[in-house]
Amino acid sequence: MSSRLLLLLCVLTAPLARAEMPSLPRDETWLMVGPLFSSSARGTGVGLEASLNIANDIHALGVFGQAQRMEDAHTRLSAGIQGNFTLLGLELGLMHETETRAHVATTGLHVAPYFSFIYGSVGLRLGIPLFATEDHRPRYGVEGAVVLSLKLPVLLGGSTVGRFPHL
């Protein structure tokens, strides 16, 4: 008798339990802005990152932009597309590093897989030089860096009640 009563209780309360589960995003537009920190064999960098993403179900697709001041007093800029699948993401784009006394300005490919959470991400960044200005100074070489970003999520479109973005 007690097993039938337990089964009946489960059947009657199932709709209530289902109502408490958070829904997945449907065509929500999120702006994420915050500081960016990187560390590589070349040194550290501090800057700002912004991304604009459209989240749908367990994935998101959008664009990103980054600007960092690097330890040796040059600037690293990058922009491109990014995609997320649950908590894993990938940035693909172009990067540009400004000249210094030791290096010429260099433009290349930006590839960065990352693990995201509500208020930021941790990832690896690979900078692959493609073009550099002609000069007697060398161009920047391949860069591998660990990157940490903190982000403030702002909902621009869609509706989210009682949950956070998966970006």
Side-chain angles (χ1 to χ4, degrees):
M1 182 70 178
S2 64
S3 62
R4 287 184 185 170
L5 184 59
L6 183 58
L7 180 61
L8 179 61
L9 183 62
C10 288
V11 169
L12 292 175
T13 59
L16 295 175
R18 175 75 176 133
E20 296 300 318
M21 292 178 57
S23 62
L24 293 172
R26 291 282 178 218
D27 296 323
E28 294 177 353
T29 303
W30 288 91
L31 174 65
M32 312 287 273
V33 180
L36 175 71
F37 307 95
S38 68
S39 179
S40 72
R42 283 200 238 159
T44 59
V46 177
L48 184 68
E49 178 178 23
S51 62
L52 182 66
N53 290 282
I54 297 174
N56 197 10
D57 199 33
I58 59 173
H59 62 278
L61 186 62
V63 295
F64 74 94
Q66 300 173 348
Q68 278 191 286
R69 189 68 173 167
M70 305 305 286
E71 190 173 296
D72 65 352
H74 81 278
T75 301
R76 184 186 192 282
L77 305 169
S78 60
I81 61 170
Q82 71 178 19
N84 287 61
F85 182 74
T86 63
L87 301 177
L88 301 176
L90 178 66
E91 295 173 345
L92 294 173
L94 293 176
M95 62 92 180
H96 179 78
E97 296 189 70
T98 60
E99 68 179 28
T100 64
R101 292 179 191 246
H103 294 92
V104 295
T106 306
T107 301
L109 184 62
H110 170 100
V111 180
Y114 60 91
F115 172 77
S116 63
F117 49 94
I118 295 170
Y119 294 106
S121 65
V122 176
L124 301 174
R125 176 176 74 204
L126 183 61
I128 303 167
L130 298 175
F131 308 103
T133 55
E134 294 293 325
D135 197 330
H136 65 281
R137 296 170 291 171
R139 69 182 185 178
Y140 290 97
V142 173
E143 178 206 29
V146 175
V147 180
L148 169 66
S149 68
L150 301 175
K151 297 180 182 179
L152 174 65
V154 178
L155 180 64
L156 297 179
S159 63
T160 298
V161 178
R163 67 180 168 76
F164 296 99
H166 300 284
L167 308 175

